[in-house]
Amino acid sequence: KDKKTKNSSLGLYAYPTLMAADVLLYKANKVPVGEDQIQHVELARDYAQRFNSLFAKKEENLIPLPMYIQTNHSRIMSLRDGTKKMSKSDPSDHSRINITDDPELIYNKIRKAKTDSIGTIQCDQMRPEITNLIKIYAEFSGMRIPEIENKYRNKETTVFKDDLAKVIIDTIGVIGYKTLDLIEDEDKLKNILKEGAAEARDCLLYTSDAADDLLCVDLGGRRIIKK
């Protein structure tokens, strides 16, 4: 909705449909998305509902109705600018936490994350950077925002940042190490990709063949779309 329509490419308009196809063909019923992707999952759900109502048996839906999975804080902002979304396309690597970042790099990024001169650890719409860090802490620690604010009342920002870096490292550090191990073991990685592709292909063929049977009729070896 908020994209510029002048000189827009086909990709802007085709992407939601392609995303819906990916979700529905593989019969995904739960899709983890950010705040800006919710409407795309809702569109996929509308497609599934429409298809099932027209072609599937009343007692069974061929296409599961996908639901989006959303965290409590679904929009995480840049570590450099609390008004911009955290993105892998940002030129500055220090604007984000990557899944492959080692503990030392995560620690340095959080220590250098932009805050303000006020110094208190408190959510405030006029203080986007510290608010963003508090939300990240809440998501990784499972604590509620008021609990975090109370915990760091009268404490320095550096203390809060050190603890934030620790909860991030404790949570995604294992994932990062596992990712790097897989990247280094090329044969194992290729086997995982091969097995995953075969499983995905089987699921896709099952769904597409079942949909084809519902949509088409066989007339002397010719299959035509039902009207």
Side-chain angles (χ1 to χ4, degrees):
K1 295 178 182 178
D2 58 348
K3 300 288 185 181
K4 294 181 179 179
T5 56
K6 187 177 180 180
N7 299 323
S8 297
S9 66
L10 172 63
L12 175 63
Y13 302 101
Y15 174 74
T17 305
L18 294 174
M19 177 178 172
D22 282 337
V23 171
L24 300 181
L25 277 172
Y26 296 104
K27 307 187 79 169
N29 54 15
K30 293 183 179 180
V31 186
V33 294
E35 185 181 45
D36 57 343
Q37 297 290 312
I38 291 177
Q39 59 185 344
H40 294 162
V41 179
E42 291 175 340
L43 178 64
R45 183 179 177 85
D46 289 343
Y47 287 158
Q49 203 159 26
R50 179 63 174 165
F51 181 92
N52 289 332
S53 67
L54 289 175
F55 303 106
K57 297 178 181 179
K58 291 184 179 180
E59 66 275 11
E60 181 180 356
N61 288 333
L62 171 64
I63 309 295
L65 303 183
M67 298 291 293
Y68 59 82
I69 302 174
Q70 200 176 7
T71 60
N72 293 327
H73 308 289
S74 56
R75 183 176 285 271
I76 299 301
M77 313 309 285
S78 167
L79 299 178
R80 290 296 198 185
D81 184 347
T83 64
K84 295 181 179 179
K85 182 181 175 183
M86 184 180 289
S87 172
K88 63 179 181 293
S89 62
D90 193 304
S92 173
D93 187 60
H94 277 74
S95 68
R96 60 186 173 271
I97 301 295
N98 302 302
I99 200 70
T100 53
D101 287 346
D102 59 45
E104 183 179 358
L105 183 54
I106 292 174
Y107 179 80
N108 288 334
K109 285 182 177 181
I110 295 300
R111 284 298 299 268
K112 294 178 180 179
K114 183 180 178 182
T115 51
D116 53 50
S117 59
I118 297 176
T120 57
I121 311 303
Q122 189 172 15
C123 279
D124 187 327
Q125 63 179 356
M126 301 302 293
R127 304 174 63 200
E129 282 79 23
I130 192 65
T131 297
N132 184 47
L133 295 182
I134 293 172
K135 288 181 177 179
I136 295 174
Y137 192 110
E139 198 59 53
F140 276 96
S141 68
M143 294 176 64
R144 295 184 298 111
I145 286 177
E147 293 175 329
I148 298 170
E149 291 175 329
N150 185 62
K151 179 178 179 179
Y152 293 97
R153 191 184 305 277
N154 300 323
K155 291 187 178 180
E156 295 182 0
T157 304
T158 53
V159 175
F160 167 71
K161 284 185 171 182
D162 286 348
D163 289 351
L164 172 57
K166 185 177 186 305
V167 297
I168 294 174
I169 292 167
D170 289 346
T171 304
I172 69 172
V174 176
I175 301 173
Y177 283 129
K178 183 66 175 178
T179 301
L180 293 174
D181 286 342
L182 289 173
I183 292 174
E184 292 176 0
D185 191 341
E186 187 174 342
D187 290 337
K188 183 177 182 180
L189 182 58
K190 286 183 177 179
N191 285 333
I192 292 173
L193 293 173
K194 184 177 179 180
E195 292 171 3
E199 185 176 348
R201 191 179 302 109
D202 288 343
C203 180
L204 182 150
L205 291 174
Y206 174 83
T207 306
S208 60
D209 286 347
D212 189 55
D213 289 339
L214 290 173
L215 289 168
C216 301
V217 291
D218 197 326
L219 297 177
R222 294 176 57 207
R223 293 178 67 80
I224 63 174
I225 302 294
K226 295 177 183 177
K227 293 184 178 179

